[in-house]
Amino acid sequence: MMMLTAALAFTACSDDDNFSAGEQEKAGTQSAYFNTPTYMNAVEVEPGSEAFQVEVSRWNTANAASVGIVKVDGDDVFDFPSTVDFAAGEATATITVTAPRADAGVNYSLVLGIADADRSIYGQGFREVAFDFSIMMWESIDTGYFIDGCIGTFWGVDPTIPMAVEIEKTTTAAGDRFRFESPFAYESTGVDEAGLGYIGYPYNSNADGLTCDGQSHMIVIDITSKGALWNTTDLGNDWNGYGMFTISPLAYGVYDAGQGNIVFPAGSLGVEMANYNPGDPEPTATDTYLFLSAEAFLNAMEGE
């Protein structure tokens, strides 16, 4: 140990060392950076919402300042401000990037940078950041049938009635995505032309205390490598002032492309009301089904 210490000491004092300081930050530099989780970021937006926000941060927060934003590379479909403004003491601000010339279903790329005069040499974060941008293209696939194992069992009515829903599909970076309007938001107007399911929810009735708002509430289901993921959804109906019903995922469901259905087994979804059990969804007691076509629904009924 003593010999090693001596050798280290001797090396440190060698005349062969040529130490020079690295490049220094310029006085007044904002030391700005993009506050994103990764350099490459996937951004997927709905049609009609062709915009996304990017967070910019800085180390030098003493004074109000404007930080320059530049395009490093990318497609000519994007607009963004050339500067982002910070108030004195403010460390983080956002810019909005829009894509008014982008078409749905096409992938676009954009690389943004902090202007040289404002970027940090040594600070954390990204001086440049890249985006893989797309506007989702939804296609109508069929009239499907939804059998609810959530509201019916929670409210104590028949949980096996089918409701006709118009299903749309898109493909995201993670996989297929399905959506349909919540039938619970509407009073029933009878059955569909095929005579297979109700249009709207037949138990919505002011006399029974179950009311609906008649507004669009989209139920979205993502198909992932782990299974079918129900996205937390406000359903558009309320029972006696206990607040809107919400269905949340507690576990993954099962997507069977061959059979054309998605099944959420009992206990995989939870239901709550805003003024009754918020944040504490009650697990469902029966299965929930989405049949992606009339054929899939009829095949399932015949197989019972």
Side-chain angles (χ1 to χ4, degrees):
M1 180 65 71
M2 292 178 63
M3 291 178 61
L4 177 61
T5 303
L8 290 173
F10 178 78
T11 300
C13 295
S14 169
D15 292 335
D16 294 333
D17 289 339
N18 287 314
F19 173 78
S20 61
E23 184 181 358
Q24 301 299 301
E25 295 277 19
K26 296 177 182 178
T29 297
Q30 293 302 304
S31 299
Y33 58 92
F34 292 105
N35 197 7
T36 58
T38 59
Y39 167 76
M40 177 61 73
N41 301 269
V43 178
E44 296 171 327
V45 299
E46 292 282 355
S49 303
E50 295 85 7
F52 61 97
Q53 290 191 318
V54 183
E55 196 169 87
V56 181
S57 296
R58 63 174 182 160
W59 285 103
N60 185 356
T61 62
N63 301 309
S66 293
V67 167
I69 304 296
V70 298
K71 177 182 176 181
V72 178
D73 196 7
D75 296 301
D76 269 340
V77 300
F78 300 99
D79 293 332
F80 58 89
S82 59
T83 59
V84 56
D85 296 326
F86 293 87
E90 187 177 32
T92 299
T94 59
I95 62 169
T96 298
V97 179
T98 61
R101 296 172 294 284
D103 294 321
V106 180
N107 287 331
Y108 298 95
S109 64
L110 174 67
V111 181
L112 294 178
I114 302 294
D116 287 343
D118 298 315
R119 65 173 56 189
S120 170
I121 300 174
Y122 302 112
Q124 70 177 35
F126 297 98
R127 285 69 168 170
E128 295 180 0
V129 65
F131 300 94
D132 184 11
F133 174 87
S134 63
I135 302 171
M136 288 183 287
M137 178 179 286
W138 289 96
E139 60 173 327
S140 176
I141 61 171
D142 211 334
T143 297
Y145 295 88
F146 178 63
I147 296 180
D148 156 57
C150 302
I151 303 303
T153 53
F154 188 86
W155 199 47
V157 296
D158 184 2
T160 65
I161 58 170
M163 290 170 279
V165 292
E166 298 302 316
I167 303 175
E168 295 180 311
K169 177 184 176 182
T170 190
T171 300
T172 72
D176 289 338
R177 175 177 291 170
F178 298 94
R179 72 178 185 180
F180 58 96
E181 280 199 66
S182 167
F184 302 102
Y186 302 96
E187 298 242 358
S188 179
T189 57
V191 298
D192 67 335
E193 291 183 1
L196 298 177
Y198 287 95
I199 300 173
Y201 190 51
Y203 294 105
N204 280 337
S205 168
N206 290 326
D208 296 327
L210 191 62
T211 59
C212 54
D213 62 13
Q215 304 296 315
S216 177
H217 298 263
M218 298 303 294
I219 294 174
V220 178
I221 300 172
D222 285 307
I223 307 303
T224 75
S225 59
K226 295 181 179 180
L229 178 64
W230 180 290
N231 289 258
T232 298
T233 308
D234 292 336
L235 300 180
N237 62 347
D238 171 11
W239 182 54
N240 281 337
Y242 283 104
M244 188 176 293
F245 280 99
T246 299
I247 296 178
S248 303
L250 302 179
Y252 288 95
V254 179
Y255 172 49
D256 189 328
Q259 296 296 320
N261 63 48
I262 302 172
V263 181
F264 291 93
S268 63
L269 298 175
V271 60
E272 59 189 282
M273 289 187 286
N275 302 324
Y276 177 69
N277 61 332
D280 186 25
E282 182 175 318
T284 54
T286 58
D287 298 345
T288 293
Y289 300 86
L290 177 64
F291 297 96
L292 302 176
S293 66
E295 181 182 9
F297 175 64
L298 289 172
N299 288 341
M301 296 303 100
E302 291 171 1
E304 288 187 347

